[in-house]
């Protein structure tokens, strides 16, 4: 058993400090793609130390590795740092070696952030499953591109019984984006009792109701949101101060709830003045185990 294998074995046994010592030792013994990659992954994912991880993985990449692992790690770091152009370059290289699902999804996110919506749409669909978040992101790109007919056909096919279903409120949000308010209301109602009430989606639900002149339901939704909000304020006031829950923390939370309360109270006035609640959309990146030699994830050791 070599140093890398011993390090991974200790890591899997939750002997983190001993594992890190051996990952460092592996780099000392042979400063190669495998040792640099694995130590970089540990720094990034276990210590959240992007600087050390970046330094190590950049060195590994200069060796022109034949595996996509180092490039995915490099892409992960650049995404965390919001360096979208650098992330794009790293992930395109990764995909040229092997089109892993992680690289394809992350490349879609990067294209979206760069405003390259055609490419983002193309890459989201590459790994999308039935009615999941990647399909949702794909449809959002189609809407942004003005391809609304295609977007609605795909949105109409969303299945709430799918294994990775994105969620009722999320589907409703896209119908609002398409100005299909009746369909939006149907989906908002499906998720209404299941979702925690927050201003972003309650505002869009009320907006859809407003566009269909359903004022009775508007009053019900706003009142229920206000009552729930008032309950949260009262519960927060009763919470006892602790070491990790200071008086200032409590004041900040109450302030946030009061802002939400005022938003609900002014909602009709806002909508009457032409206010349109914006969709809170953020495509998310993904990652995986990129440790060479990790038997748990069937990762072989690096082959030159």
């Amino acid at each position: 058993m070599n140093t890398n294998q011993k390090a991974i074995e200790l890591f899997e046994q939750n002997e983190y400090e001993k594992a890190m010592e051996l990952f460092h030792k592996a780099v000392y013994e042979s400063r190669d793609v495998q040792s640099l990659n694995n130590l970089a992954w540990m720094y990034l994912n276990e210590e959240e130390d992007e600087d050390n991880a970046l330094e190590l993985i950049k060195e590994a990449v200069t060796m022109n590795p034949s595996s996509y692992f180092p490039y995915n790690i490099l892409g992960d770091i650049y995404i965390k740092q919001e360096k979208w152009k650098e992330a794009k370059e790293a992930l395109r290289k990764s995909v040229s070696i092997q089109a892993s699902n992680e690289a394809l999804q992350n490349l879609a996110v990067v294209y979206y952030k760069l405003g390259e919506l055609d490419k983002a749409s193309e890459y989201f669909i590459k790994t999308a499953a039935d009615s999941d978040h990647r399909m949702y992101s794909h449809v959002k790109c189609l809407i942004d591109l003005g391809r609304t007919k295609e977007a609605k056909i795909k949105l109409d096919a969303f299945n709430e019984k799918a294994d990775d279903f994105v969620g009722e409120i999320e589907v409703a949000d896209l119908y609002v984006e398409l100005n299909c308010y009746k369909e939006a209301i149907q989906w908002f109602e499906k998720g209404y009792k299941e979702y925690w009430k927050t201003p972003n989606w309650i505002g869009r639900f009320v907006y859809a109701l407003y566009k269909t002149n359903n004022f009775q339901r508007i009053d019900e939704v706003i009142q229920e949101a206000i009552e729930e909000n008032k309950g949260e304020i009262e519960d927060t006031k009763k919470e006892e101060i602790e070491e990790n829950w200071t008086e200032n923390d409590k004041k900040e939370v109450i302030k946030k709830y009061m802002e939400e309360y005022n938003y609900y109270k002014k909602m009709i006035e806002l909508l009457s003045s032409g206010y349109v609640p914006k969709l809170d959309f953020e495509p998310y990146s993904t990652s995986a185990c990129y440790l060479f030699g990790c038997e748990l994830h069937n990762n072989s050791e690096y082959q030159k």
Side-chain angles (χ1 to χ4, degrees), residues 107-122:
L107 196 49
V109 172
V110 168
Y111 279 129
Y112 185 86
K113 290 294 186 177
L114 289 170
E116 299 182 46
L117 298 182
D118 275 314
K119 282 288 188 181
S121 173
E122 174 189 339

PDB file of all heavy atoms in Angstrom, residues 107-122:
ATOM      1  N   LEU A 107     -20.102  23.830 -16.709  1.00  0.00           N
ATOM      2  CA  LEU A 107     -19.859  24.646 -17.891  1.00  0.00           C
ATOM      3  C   LEU A 107     -21.139  25.389 -18.282  1.00  0.00           C
ATOM      4  O   LEU A 107     -21.087  26.559 -18.710  1.00  0.00           O
ATOM      5  CB  LEU A 107     -19.365  23.767 -19.040  1.00  0.00           C
ATOM      6  CG  LEU A 107     -18.706  24.453 -20.238  1.00  0.00           C
ATOM      7  CD1 LEU A 107     -17.631  25.445 -19.815  1.00  0.00           C
ATOM      8  CD2 LEU A 107     -18.113  23.403 -21.174  1.00  0.00           C
ATOM      9  N   ALA A 108     -22.278  24.739 -18.117  1.00  0.00           N
ATOM     10  CA  ALA A 108     -23.560  25.402 -18.381  1.00  0.00           C
ATOM     11  C   ALA A 108     -23.733  26.610 -17.465  1.00  0.00           C
ATOM     12  O   ALA A 108     -24.149  27.689 -17.909  1.00  0.00           O
ATOM     13  CB  ALA A 108     -24.713  24.419 -18.173  1.00  0.00           C
ATOM     14  N   VAL A 109     -23.400  26.433 -16.184  1.00  0.00           N
ATOM     15  CA  VAL A 109     -23.496  27.538 -15.223  1.00  0.00           C
ATOM     16  C   VAL A 109     -22.582  28.688 -15.628  1.00  0.00           C
ATOM     17  O   VAL A 109     -22.965  29.861 -15.609  1.00  0.00           O
ATOM     18  CB  VAL A 109     -23.134  27.053 -13.803  1.00  0.00           C
ATOM     19  CG1 VAL A 109     -23.037  28.236 -12.832  1.00  0.00           C
ATOM     20  CG2 VAL A 109     -24.163  26.045 -13.299  1.00  0.00           C
ATOM     21  N   VAL A 110     -21.364  28.354 -16.034  1.00  0.00           N
ATOM     22  CA  VAL A 110     -20.383  29.367 -16.430  1.00  0.00           C
ATOM     23  C   VAL A 110     -20.862  30.127 -17.661  1.00  0.00           C
ATOM     24  O   VAL A 110     -20.780  31.360 -17.721  1.00  0.00           O
ATOM     25  CB  VAL A 110     -19.013  28.710 -16.687  1.00  0.00           C
ATOM     26  CG1 VAL A 110     -18.064  29.690 -17.369  1.00  0.00           C
ATOM     27  CG2 VAL A 110     -18.410  28.218 -15.374  1.00  0.00           C
ATOM     28  N   TYR A 111     -21.377  29.402 -18.643  1.00  0.00           N
ATOM     29  CA  TYR A 111     -21.909  30.068 -19.841  1.00  0.00           C
ATOM     30  C   TYR A 111     -23.051  31.018 -19.462  1.00  0.00           C
ATOM     31  O   TYR A 111     -23.155  32.120 -20.012  1.00  0.00           O
ATOM     32  CB  TYR A 111     -22.400  29.035 -20.849  1.00  0.00           C
ATOM     33  CG  TYR A 111     -21.312  28.414 -21.705  1.00  0.00           C
ATOM     34  CD1 TYR A 111     -21.192  27.034 -21.825  1.00  0.00           C
ATOM     35  CD2 TYR A 111     -20.410  29.209 -22.417  1.00  0.00           C
ATOM     36  CE1 TYR A 111     -20.199  26.462 -22.616  1.00  0.00           C
ATOM     37  CE2 TYR A 111     -19.424  28.653 -23.215  1.00  0.00           C
ATOM     38  CZ  TYR A 111     -19.324  27.273 -23.302  1.00  0.00           C
ATOM     39  OH  TYR A 111     -18.342  26.720 -24.087  1.00  0.00           O
ATOM     40  N   TYR A 112     -23.910  30.582 -18.529  1.00  0.00           N
ATOM     41  CA  TYR A 112     -25.015  31.441 -18.097  1.00  0.00           C
ATOM     42  C   TYR A 112     -24.481  32.719 -17.460  1.00  0.00           C
ATOM     43  O   TYR A 112     -24.964  33.823 -17.739  1.00  0.00           O
ATOM     44  CB  TYR A 112     -25.919  30.690 -17.119  1.00  0.00           C
ATOM     45  CG  TYR A 112     -27.149  31.483 -16.727  1.00  0.00           C
ATOM     46  CD1 TYR A 112     -28.295  31.448 -17.505  1.00  0.00           C
ATOM     47  CD2 TYR A 112     -27.150  32.287 -15.595  1.00  0.00           C
ATOM     48  CE1 TYR A 112     -29.412  32.188 -17.169  1.00  0.00           C
ATOM     49  CE2 TYR A 112     -28.264  33.033 -15.251  1.00  0.00           C
ATOM     50  CZ  TYR A 112     -29.398  32.973 -16.041  1.00  0.00           C
ATOM     51  OH  TYR A 112     -30.495  33.724 -15.692  1.00  0.00           O
ATOM     52  N   LYS A 113     -23.486  32.574 -16.610  1.00  0.00           N
ATOM     53  CA  LYS A 113     -22.908  33.733 -15.930  1.00  0.00           C
ATOM     54  C   LYS A 113     -22.220  34.675 -16.913  1.00  0.00           C
ATOM     55  O   LYS A 113     -22.165  35.892 -16.676  1.00  0.00           O
ATOM     56  CB  LYS A 113     -21.903  33.259 -14.871  1.00  0.00           C
ATOM     57  CG  LYS A 113     -22.540  32.571 -13.676  1.00  0.00           C
ATOM     58  CD  LYS A 113     -23.378  33.537 -12.870  1.00  0.00           C
ATOM     59  CE  LYS A 113     -23.904  32.918 -11.602  1.00  0.00           C
ATOM     60  NZ  LYS A 113     -24.677  33.884 -10.782  1.00  0.00           N
ATOM     61  N   LEU A 114     -21.709  34.132 -17.995  1.00  0.00           N
ATOM     62  CA  LEU A 114     -21.054  34.949 -19.018  1.00  0.00           C
ATOM     63  C   LEU A 114     -22.043  35.541 -20.015  1.00  0.00           C
ATOM     64  O   LEU A 114     -21.653  36.284 -20.922  1.00  0.00           O
ATOM     65  CB  LEU A 114     -20.001  34.115 -19.758  1.00  0.00           C
ATOM     66  CG  LEU A 114     -18.744  33.754 -18.959  1.00  0.00           C
ATOM     67  CD1 LEU A 114     -17.903  32.726 -19.723  1.00  0.00           C
ATOM     68  CD2 LEU A 114     -17.907  34.997 -18.658  1.00  0.00           C
ATOM     69  N   GLY A 115     -23.323  35.194 -19.861  1.00  0.00           N
ATOM     70  CA  GLY A 115     -24.341  35.715 -20.769  1.00  0.00           C
ATOM     71  C   GLY A 115     -24.413  34.977 -22.094  1.00  0.00           C
ATOM     72  O   GLY A 115     -25.107  35.429 -23.021  1.00  0.00           O
ATOM     73  N   GLU A 116     -23.738  33.840 -22.191  1.00  0.00           N
ATOM     74  CA  GLU A 116     -23.773  33.022 -23.409  1.00  0.00           C
ATOM     75  C   GLU A 116     -24.916  32.018 -23.276  1.00  0.00           C
ATOM     76  O   GLU A 116     -24.723  30.828 -23.038  1.00  0.00           O
ATOM     77  CB  GLU A 116     -22.422  32.323 -23.620  1.00  0.00           C
ATOM     78  CG  GLU A 116     -21.260  33.286 -23.787  1.00  0.00           C
ATOM     79  CD  GLU A 116     -19.936  32.576 -24.035  1.00  0.00           C
ATOM     80  OE1 GLU A 116     -19.910  31.647 -24.863  1.00  0.00           O
ATOM     81  OE2 GLU A 116     -18.937  32.947 -23.391  1.00  0.00           O
ATOM     82  N   LEU A 117     -26.147  32.529 -23.442  1.00  0.00           N
ATOM     83  CA  LEU A 117     -27.331  31.741 -23.106  1.00  0.00           C
ATOM     84  C   LEU A 117     -27.572  30.572 -24.047  1.00  0.00           C
ATOM     85  O   LEU A 117     -28.088  29.528 -23.626  1.00  0.00           O
ATOM     86  CB  LEU A 117     -28.559  32.657 -23.077  1.00  0.00           C
ATOM     87  CG  LEU A 117     -28.519  33.777 -22.036  1.00  0.00           C
ATOM     88  CD1 LEU A 117     -29.812  34.574 -22.073  1.00  0.00           C
ATOM     89  CD2 LEU A 117     -28.278  33.225 -20.635  1.00  0.00           C
ATOM     90  N   ASP A 118     -27.218  30.722 -25.316  1.00  0.00           N
ATOM     91  CA  ASP A 118     -27.358  29.593 -26.245  1.00  0.00           C
ATOM     92  C   ASP A 118     -26.525  28.402 -25.771  1.00  0.00           C
ATOM     93  O   ASP A 118     -26.992  27.263 -25.759  1.00  0.00           O
ATOM     94  CB  ASP A 118     -26.925  30.007 -27.652  1.00  0.00           C
ATOM     95  CG  ASP A 118     -28.052  30.686 -28.422  1.00  0.00           C
ATOM     96  OD1 ASP A 118     -29.179  30.167 -28.392  1.00  0.00           O
ATOM     97  OD2 ASP A 118     -27.802  31.736 -29.027  1.00  0.00           O
ATOM     98  N   LYS A 119     -25.292  28.698 -25.395  1.00  0.00           N
ATOM     99  CA  LYS A 119     -24.388  27.646 -24.919  1.00  0.00           C
ATOM    100  C   LYS A 119     -24.871  27.089 -23.577  1.00  0.00           C
ATOM    101  O   LYS A 119     -24.816  25.881 -23.338  1.00  0.00           O
ATOM    102  CB  LYS A 119     -22.972  28.198 -24.780  1.00  0.00           C
ATOM    103  CG  LYS A 119     -22.221  28.335 -26.096  1.00  0.00           C
ATOM    104  CD  LYS A 119     -21.840  26.966 -26.629  1.00  0.00           C
ATOM    105  CE  LYS A 119     -20.938  27.060 -27.837  1.00  0.00           C
ATOM    106  NZ  LYS A 119     -20.600  25.711 -28.373  1.00  0.00           N
ATOM    107  N   ALA A 120     -25.322  27.967 -22.703  1.00  0.00           N
ATOM    108  CA  ALA A 120     -25.823  27.525 -21.399  1.00  0.00           C
ATOM    109  C   ALA A 120     -26.992  26.561 -21.582  1.00  0.00           C
ATOM    110  O   ALA A 120     -27.037  25.491 -20.968  1.00  0.00           O
ATOM    111  CB  ALA A 120     -26.246  28.721 -20.567  1.00  0.00           C
ATOM    112  N   SER A 121     -27.921  26.942 -22.453  1.00  0.00           N
ATOM    113  CA  SER A 121     -29.076  26.097 -22.728  1.00  0.00           C
ATOM    114  C   SER A 121     -28.647  24.734 -23.261  1.00  0.00           C
ATOM    115  O   SER A 121     -29.136  23.688 -22.832  1.00  0.00           O
ATOM    116  CB  SER A 121     -29.991  26.787 -23.742  1.00  0.00           C
ATOM    117  OG  SER A 121     -31.024  25.931 -24.156  1.00  0.00           O
ATOM    118  N   GLU A 122     -27.695  24.770 -24.177  1.00  0.00           N
ATOM    119  CA  GLU A 122     -27.185  23.532 -24.797  1.00  0.00           C
ATOM    120  C   GLU A 122     -26.553  22.605 -23.767  1.00  0.00           C
ATOM    121  O   GLU A 122     -26.755  21.380 -23.807  1.00  0.00           O
ATOM    122  CB  GLU A 122     -26.156  23.911 -25.862  1.00  0.00           C
ATOM    123  CG  GLU A 122     -25.436  22.731 -26.507  1.00  0.00           C
ATOM    124  CD  GLU A 122     -24.288  23.177 -27.396  1.00  0.00           C
ATOM    125  OE1 GLU A 122     -24.275  24.353 -27.829  1.00  0.00           O
ATOM    126  OE2 GLU A 122     -23.388  22.353 -27.637  1.00  0.00           O
TER     127      GLU A 122
END
